[in-house]
Amino acid sequence: MWVFLWVLWFMLLFRIIGDIFRDDGLNGWAKAGWCVFVVFLPFLGCFIYLIARGKGMGKREMERARSNEQQFQEYIRAAATTSGTSGAGHADQLSKLAELKAHGDITDEEYQRAKEKVLAG
């Protein structure tokens, strides 16, 4: 039981210190003050921090998670657009080549060479 309580205590302590450093609303002096308070008077400092700023910890964590998710989604969209554009470009070129072949403007041999160039590039 004591081991569990010590692990729980250290998890709480690291979570509070992490929240102090991640909070953009605090200036440097406020962060330094909270750190000194939490490090030198750990039990009292942690309890006062949780009373004073505990409600905001969850909100800040949710905002950070939402921001990370939004950045990830933007990255996925950008990556899909970039790779999709080159694929669409190849598809357009191949369809134009097929139309030229169907109209008799190019021969089968020319079509095959052009198709290989498009697929290689």
Side-chain angles (χ1 to χ4, degrees):
M1 182 173 118
W2 289 107
V3 172
F4 174 73
L5 290 175
W6 274 105
V7 170
L8 183 66
W9 168 250
F10 281 113
M11 286 178 56
L12 178 65
L13 189 64
F14 287 126
R15 171 111 184 197
I16 288 173
I17 291 173
D19 186 61
I20 291 170
F21 283 109
R22 287 188 199 119
D23 188 9
D24 293 331
L26 291 176
N27 63 20
W29 288 106
K31 288 180 183 185
W34 276 112
C35 284
V36 166
F37 194 41
V38 167
V39 169
F40 289 115
L41 296 171
F43 291 110
L44 184 63
C46 286
F47 292 134
I48 290 176
Y49 187 84
L50 289 174
I51 291 168
R53 300 182 45 88
K55 188 174 185 180
M57 285 177 72
K59 289 179 183 177
R60 285 187 294 277
E61 185 69 29
M62 290 299 294
E63 288 173 11
R64 193 171 19 262
R66 192 175 300 119
S67 173
N68 288 344
E69 180 66 24
Q70 184 180 15
Q71 289 174 358
F72 177 72
Q73 292 298 329
E74 288 173 8
Y75 172 76
I76 294 295
R77 280 190 213 100
T81 302
T82 303
S83 66
T85 303
S86 63
H90 291 313
D92 289 339
Q93 290 177 356
L94 289 174
S95 67
K96 288 178 185 175
L97 284 173
E99 287 177 23
L100 289 173
K101 181 183 169 197
H103 290 290
D105 295 334
I106 59 173
T107 64
D108 286 336
E109 185 179 306
E110 292 172 327
Y111 172 76
Q112 289 299 327
R113 276 188 274 149
K115 179 179 164 186
E116 288 173 7
K117 281 184 181 179
V118 168
L119 294 176

